[in-house]
Amino acid sequence: GAVVSQHPSRVICKSGTSVKIECRSLDFQATTMFWYRQFPKQSLMLMATSNEGSKATYEQGVEKDKFLINHASLTLSTLTVTSAHPEDSSFYICSANDRGRTYEQYFGPGTRLTVT
Amino acid sequence: AQSVTQLDSQVPVFEEAPVELRCNYSSSVSVYLFWYVQYPNQGLQLLLKYLSGSTLVKGINGFEAEFNKSQTSFHLRKPSVHISDTAEYFCAVMRGSQGNLIFGKGTKLSVKP
């Protein structure tokens, strides 16, 4: 149980285009979902926290107009990278809290974004 | 503010040897501490967590960690490592009631035959 999926696993896009990444909790309801970014050989940096049905809370320094987060249901959150640039290339990982087990955070497998 | 320091960026060790990955945290409030493992190009998998109670926490794959409040540490240990333990290990502290995790920079464990 407690599986989080991400789609796509890899995406290559051209500079200036937008890319949407989906994060789904497959067998539990996630009241809160988190989006992280990981640069090569570095740690995970929290980008934003999203709660179902409300606006996401962004970390300092993260552009909310560039990284659009929508938490439309208790099992789905999406991250859209708008007008992507090469510096947005990174590994994006989502995680979700099980509604009934707040201290358990389950991670998706990640999405490798490459902007050319 | 809460923060996590992983003192070693890389730890090479021979198979079947013991290993300790060090983690120190800073927090002015009650802490919830976690260790995660990340295999190449994958997400994170929870190894173990400390929320309260016994300071010695046992996790999956034979790992354990000890919460030491006076030393503000949460070191991860395994008495005998396998090649398959080669991965990146992240220590994390939970921030706030929503469950935001603050991660350390990670320790790359390399197990050699």
Side-chain angles (χ1 to χ4, degrees):
Chain A
V3 178
V4 174
S5 70
Q6 276 185 247
H7 178 80
S9 58
R10 289 177 179 272
V11 58
I12 301 173
C13 70
K14 292 186 176 181
S15 186
T17 62
S18 296
V19 174
K20 180 184 283 189
I21 302 170
E22 291 187 350
C23 176
R24 293 181 184 271
S25 58
L26 298 185
D27 49 5
F28 66 97
Q29 293 185 324
T31 48
T32 305
M33 286 184 168
F34 305 89
W35 286 95
Y36 296 86
R37 183 173 180 177
Q38 185 179 31
F39 291 102
K41 299 183 180 180
Q42 293 190 31
S43 188
L44 283 76
M45 299 295 295
L46 180 65
M47 298 174 66
T49 302
S50 73
N51 291 294
E52 183 262 340
S54 62
K55 290 184 179 180
T57 302
Y58 289 81
E59 294 297 301
Q60 192 173 10
V62 178
E63 299 176 61
K64 58 181 67 178
D65 293 331
K66 181 168 186 61
F67 298 100
L68 300 179
I69 292 172
N70 184 2
H71 195 155
S73 74
L74 284 172
T75 59
L76 173 65
S77 176
T78 60
L79 167 68
T80 301
V81 183
T82 62
S83 186
H85 290 113
E87 55 265 31
D88 298 325
S89 298
S90 192
F91 195 50
Y92 293 88
I93 303 176
C94 73
S95 68
N97 274 358
D98 187 326
R99 189 179 203 179
R101 303 168 73 180
T102 309
Y103 299 111
E104 293 282 353
Q105 195 169 131
Y106 302 100
F107 285 80
T111 297
R112 174 75 61 190
L113 170 62
T114 303
V115 184
T116 61
Chain B
Q2 291 159 309
S3 67
V4 176
T5 302
Q6 290 184 245
L7 298 165
D8 307 297
S9 60
Q10 296 189 50
V11 173
V13 64
F14 286 106
E15 192 174 19
E16 297 184 5
V19 71
E20 178 181 83
L21 306 183
R22 296 181 291 170
C23 173
N24 287 89
Y25 67 91
S26 67
S27 175
S28 57
V29 298
S30 298
V31 289
Y32 304 115
L33 294 159
F34 304 79
W35 274 101
Y36 286 87
V37 60
Q38 184 181 33
Y39 298 100
N41 295 312
Q42 294 187 27
L44 275 67
Q45 181 181 7
L46 179 66
L47 278 177
L48 47 80
K49 63 181 182 289
Y50 171 80
L51 303 181
S52 66
S54 173
T55 57
L56 183 62
V57 181
K58 293 190 183 295
I60 62 171
N61 301 343
F63 284 93
E64 64 180 31
E66 185 154 20
F67 171 61
N68 189 319
K69 188 174 182 179
S70 62
Q71 297 186 6
T72 61
S73 68
F74 190 55
H75 300 333
L76 181 71
R77 301 185 184 98
K78 186 169 181 177
S80 176
V81 294
H82 300 131
I83 298 287
S84 59
D85 292 322
T86 296
E88 188 98 26
Y89 292 80
F90 292 96
C91 181
V93 61
M94 182 170 284
R95 180 191 79 186
S97 59
Q98 284 203 23
N100 304 21
L101 290 173
I102 307 299
F103 286 90
K105 292 188 175 181
T107 297
K108 185 173 183 179
L109 175 64
S110 299
V111 182
K112 303 175 188 298

